[in-house]
Amino acid sequence: MMNLRTKGKSTIVWILMGLLILGLGGFGVTSFSGGSSEIGSVGSTKVTAEDYARALRSELNAYSQQAGQQITMAQAQSMGLPRAIQAQLFTAATLEEETRRLGISVGDQRVAQSISSAPAFQGPNGRFDRSAYAQILRREGLTEAEFEGQIRADEARILLQRAVSEGVVAPESMVDQTAKWLLETRDLSWHEADESHLTAAVSAPDEETLEAWHKANSDRFTAPEKRKLTYVWLTPEMLSDEVELDENALREAYEANIAKYRQPERRMVGTLVYPSMEDAQSARDRLDAGEVGFDELVAERGLTLEDIDQGEVTREELGQAGDAVFGLDAPGVAGPVETGLGPALISMNAILEPVDIPFEEAREDLRAEAALDRAVRMIESRMEEYEDLLAGGATLEEVSEETPAELGTLDWSADMKPEEGSIAGYPAFRERAEEVGEGDFPEIERLDDGGIFALRLDEVVPPTLIPFDEIRDEVAEDWRLAEVHRLLLAHAEEERLQAISATTPDPDAVDGGENGAELVAESDPDMRESDAGDDEAEENAAAEVAPAPQWVSEPGLTRDGWIDGLPAQIVAQLFEIDEIGDIEIVDTGDRVFLVRLDAIHAADLDSEDAREVKDRIQQRMAQSLQADIFDYYARAAQRKAGVKVNQSAIDAINTQVR
């Protein structure tokens, strides 16, 4: 049974706050006559059908408002909403039964305070509005006595809940241990094993191997589901050449957008205001002496460059500071000058030359824009015509013959990359292409540029394995990459083992052994010749050895840290290593890394950051412990009092709420 961990004032939340959104409508509860008025009880405390229906309706309204659409009862049941509400009501009833048994209650003053401070009952002046109070209760079918009784019970339950759970704190040792774990840092060295580390090239596979690879990895060589579509579409661009525009219309459009074609000289500026002219002059002197930069002056004022940015301004807009700023012939700092905000230094960041495009030069652009705008309106005016054609049984092919709409076909899949200018690039088309079913009636849909379309699903081609002959090169490359990855893993493991052996003492490496080897070499010339041959072989082998890896060090990594450009698994693996100096392999699927733990730095629990972390841990752990203790208490109280559930009454309400 769910508890009231965060819903101590459940009835207040459901009734006072939930009622604010009842204006959505759409949900109704018919009469419960003929059935039980209770959905259950805890001891002698009843859980009424009215309370359940009211809470369920309020939560459905709230979810619908959040989702932007009406949530059905079936959807609510799939989310487990009715059961959650039942659990909350039965837990509230458990606490009410406990408060009755223990004799816990609150006075009229506390009830009045809770009601008068509720936002739902406050008027425009922020004070308790009795008319609003009466109206909301009347809308919910509650009398003032019933509602005030619920508030009294809620307040008593809150007192009991606080008495059970408050005062519980997390053990200091547990907090410290968690903080140590979180704040520990480690030093890491890593390097990536790539194809250059392999001593030999990957041999080419035969056809039999590739065909077997193709079959074994069929999921990677299977074409996704394809939907064969037929569509018609019409965009403003398709009609723009048909639009007739006279000279007067173009001149009107020019004048309406004159700010685009005629603009005075402007400057891009940022204004840094100071309390006094003396402060501004002092800052200017430091700037001229090279002691600080302008961005540093901005930071000293507790601001950022974005904070002081004014964007594009004209001389007139700058007022009395205009002459100083426009007197600069290159980006720089003007001032100090008086501005409407006070004494300031003004950073002039760019010069924007005046714009003066005459009508004759703007005519073509104006015509294109105006034509598109007119075409959008033409399409809008023809919408009903196209809808009537489809409703009358016209096929998409017939629509394209009788209207300017263009007919097309497309083999569509969810992962396809549409060609530039293709209808498949429109989100509305892609969404409809994904949803349309065979037999669906074509309907006119809108495109985001003012165009329209309608489509028909002709056939669904299920995911199909692409024949080997068609993608032989792709299969070969896939096999090669997998083989390289396998070899890199083997190489990384060999390197790891060599690093381990290099730090492990050799039990046979003793003086007696070395002296014995020297005596054998002196007494056996053939041995000396053999050694010379071995040396030569080693030199030849060394020539084939891949270059030594370059380890990269990353100090002070935390558990939630990262390394730019590297997978997150590297840091995760770092904190899995137990011993300093140990090396582990990190396989990310397409890359192989070796990770070495260089040092472990224990957390400093006396630092300021650590104290803040410990405080947060303390709060979270305390909340969790309090919630668990209250949960145990509520369960025990339910078992002691006895819980009865009337499932038939619950089912009846679930059926009638809509």
Side-chain angles (χ1 to χ4, degrees):
M1 194 75 70
M2 286 183 62
N3 58 47
L4 296 179
R5 295 178 179 182
T6 59
K7 295 184 179 288
K9 295 189 177 182
S10 58
T11 304
I12 295 176
V13 171
W14 289 331
I15 297 178
L16 300 189
M17 302 305 292
L19 297 182
L20 292 177
I21 59 171
L22 284 179
L24 287 175
F27 301 105
V29 182
T30 58
S31 171
F32 297 120
S33 60
S36 172
S37 62
E38 302 166 4
I39 67 168
S41 62
V42 181
S44 60
T45 301
K46 311 299 183 183
V47 180
T48 69
E50 288 77 11
D51 283 345
Y52 175 55
R54 186 182 297 113
L56 181 58
R57 186 172 62 241
S58 181
E59 288 294 280
L60 282 171
N61 275 327
Y63 271 86
S64 296
Q65 187 180 47
Q66 292 174 6
Q69 62 181 10
Q70 184 169 305
I71 300 298
T72 66
M73 191 61 192
Q75 291 172 316
Q77 288 176 321
S78 68
M79 294 186 293
L81 186 59
R83 282 196 172 276
I85 294 172
Q86 294 161 30
Q88 292 164 354
L89 288 171
F90 276 95
T91 304
T94 300
L95 294 181
E96 186 173 344
E97 178 70 8
E98 278 290 279
T99 59
R100 184 193 62 76
R101 185 180 68 84
L102 297 172
I104 300 174
S105 183
V106 296
D108 293 341
Q109 184 177 359
R110 181 67 186 125
V111 173
Q113 182 181 353
S114 292
I115 293 175
S116 62
S117 61
F121 301 143
Q122 292 177 358
N125 59 1
R127 296 180 180 178
F128 177 73
D129 187 334
R130 173 158 286 280
S131 62
Y133 177 60
Q135 181 182 5
I136 291 176
L137 294 189
R138 185 169 55 253
R139 188 187 303 161
E140 280 299 294
L142 290 169
T143 66
E144 291 189 11
E146 289 172 336
F147 180 69
E148 289 165 8
Q150 291 178 350
I151 296 299
R152 192 184 306 277
D154 262 339
E155 291 292 343
R157 286 195 293 263
I158 292 170
L159 285 177
L160 177 60
Q161 182 177 354
R162 288 174 177 170
V164 170
S165 59
E166 282 191 356
V168 177
V169 296
E172 188 68 24
S173 59
M174 184 184 297
V175 173
D176 286 347
Q177 188 65 28
T178 304
K180 287 178 182 178
W181 185 85
L182 284 173
L183 298 175
E184 175 189 291
T185 62
R186 296 190 172 195
D187 295 348
L188 158 77
S189 289
W190 65 273
H191 81 81
E192 182 173 4
D194 57 38
E195 200 166 347
S196 67
H197 293 107
L198 300 180
T199 57
V202 177
S203 58
D206 55 30
E207 293 301 298
E208 184 178 353
T209 299
L210 290 180
E211 290 179 6
W213 186 260
H214 174 255
K215 293 178 181 178
N217 298 277
S218 58
D219 58 317
R220 297 213 287 271
F221 307 115
T222 296
E225 176 187 275
K226 287 187 178 179
R227 320 194 98 206
K228 293 184 177 294
L229 305 173
T230 297
Y231 63 89
V232 292
W233 67 322
L234 183 63
T235 66
E237 287 82 358
M238 295 177 187
L239 291 178
S240 60
D241 291 339
E242 301 179 16
V243 174
E244 296 292 339
L245 294 172
D246 58 28
E247 191 78 359
N248 290 335
L250 293 178
R251 287 194 176 276
E252 288 176 4
Y254 177 77
E255 293 299 329
N257 296 277
I258 194 64
K260 176 180 176 182
Y261 300 107
R262 290 183 180 174
Q263 297 181 16
E265 184 179 355
R266 291 146 294 141
R267 298 286 192 268
M268 300 283 290
V269 302
T271 301
L272 181 59
V273 180
Y274 282 88
S276 67
M277 184 60 73
E278 290 74 17
D279 292 332
Q281 185 60 54
S282 175
R284 179 63 197 235
D285 293 341
R286 293 169 60 209
L287 181 67
D288 292 342
E291 297 176 7
V292 293
F294 186 77
D295 54 345
E296 292 175 287
L297 292 176
V298 173
E300 288 177 357
R301 302 284 296 151
L303 302 169
T304 67
L305 293 176
E306 289 75 17
D307 294 332
I308 68 169
D309 182 44
Q310 288 186 265
E312 301 177 15
V313 294
T314 63
R315 183 190 295 266
E316 290 72 22
E317 289 171 336
L318 285 172
Q320 56 187 322
D323 290 342
V325 173
F326 276 75
L328 298 174
D329 56 9
V333 177
V337 293
E338 285 289 348
T339 70
L341 300 174
L345 296 180
I346 301 180
S347 173
M348 192 272 283
N349 304 313
I351 298 175
L352 302 178
E353 298 297 335
V355 176
D356 187 8
I357 301 175
F359 170 76
E360 290 72 20
E361 293 182 15
R363 180 186 285 109
E364 288 305 313
D365 288 341
L366 285 167
R367 188 196 181 287
E369 293 177 9
L372 286 177
D373 183 64
R374 183 77 59 85
V376 169
R377 294 198 296 272
M378 290 172 62
I379 292 174
E380 185 69 28
S381 67
R382 295 181 182 179
M383 281 277 291
E384 187 174 349
E385 173 191 344
Y386 301 143
E387 290 171 344
D388 289 344
L389 283 172
L390 291 175
T395 65
L396 297 181
E397 290 79 2
E398 291 169 340
V399 169
S400 70
E401 292 174 0
E402 299 181 29
T403 72
E406 296 182 3
L407 182 72
T409 59
L410 181 68
D411 289 346
W412 186 87
S413 63
D415 64 346
M416 73 177 298
K417 295 181 179 179
E419 298 178 3
E420 185 176 355
S422 166
I423 191 174
Y426 288 87
F429 179 87
R430 297 177 67 85
E431 181 178 347
R432 183 61 184 150
E434 180 73 25
E435 297 174 350
V436 67
E438 291 184 271
D440 284 0
F441 187 79
E443 297 179 354
I444 297 297
E445 310 275 355
R446 296 179 185 273
L447 299 171
D448 56 15
D449 63 355
I452 58 174
F453 75 96
L455 62 81
R456 180 183 70 227
L457 176 61
D458 298 324
E459 181 186 358
V460 176
V461 180
T464 306
L465 179 65
I466 304 172
F468 172 76
D469 293 340
E470 295 182 16
I471 54 170
R472 192 266 180 202
D473 291 343
E474 182 180 335
V475 173
E477 178 61 16
D478 189 75
W479 179 92
R480 192 192 75 82
L481 291 175
E483 182 66 8
V484 167
H485 190 74
R486 183 187 69 80
L487 294 173
L488 288 176
L489 285 173
H491 169 80
E493 180 61 25
E494 181 181 353
E495 183 179 334
R496 190 181 75 86
L497 293 175
Q498 287 176 351
I500 293 173
S501 63
T503 59
T504 303
D506 184 356
D508 295 329
V510 296
D511 290 341
E514 293 177 358
N515 293 334
E518 291 174 1
L519 291 174
V520 171
E522 290 177 0
S523 61
D524 190 345
D526 293 335
M527 177 66 74
R528 292 196 298 271
E529 293 177 2
S530 175
D531 287 345
D534 290 344
D535 291 342
E536 183 178 353
E538 289 176 2
E539 290 177 1
N540 293 334
E544 300 177 0
V545 173
Q550 299 296 316
W551 290 82
V552 180
S553 296
E554 296 285 348
L557 287 167
T558 58
R559 291 181 186 274
D560 61 350
W562 72 92
I563 304 173
D564 287 342
L566 297 186
Q569 295 100 305
I570 288 182
V571 175
Q573 184 63 50
L574 169 66
F575 282 88
E576 295 294 325
I577 302 176
D578 295 326
E579 299 292 334
I580 294 175
D582 280 359
I583 298 175
E584 294 293 341
I585 298 171
V586 178
D587 179 7
T588 66
D590 58 347
R591 301 171 72 181
V592 177
F593 297 86
L594 285 97
V595 177
R596 184 180 69 217
L597 175 60
D598 294 336
I600 299 176
H601 305 290
D604 179 10
L605 298 186
D606 294 327
S607 68
E608 183 176 349
D609 289 343
R611 286 194 291 271
E612 292 179 1
V613 170
K614 286 177 62 177
D615 287 343
R616 290 196 295 269
I617 294 172
Q618 173 75 47
Q619 293 172 7
R620 293 290 297 274
M621 284 187 172
Q623 291 170 358
S624 179
L625 290 171
Q626 290 168 2
D628 289 340
I629 288 173
F630 178 76
D631 189 33
Y632 297 147
Y633 177 84
R635 290 173 184 269
Q638 284 180 349
R639 285 194 296 269
K640 182 177 180 180
V643 178
K644 294 181 180 179
V645 178
N646 187 341
Q647 190 60 48
S648 62
I650 292 173
D651 293 340
I653 296 172
N654 290 345
T655 301
Q656 294 177 59
V657 172
R658 59 187 183 277

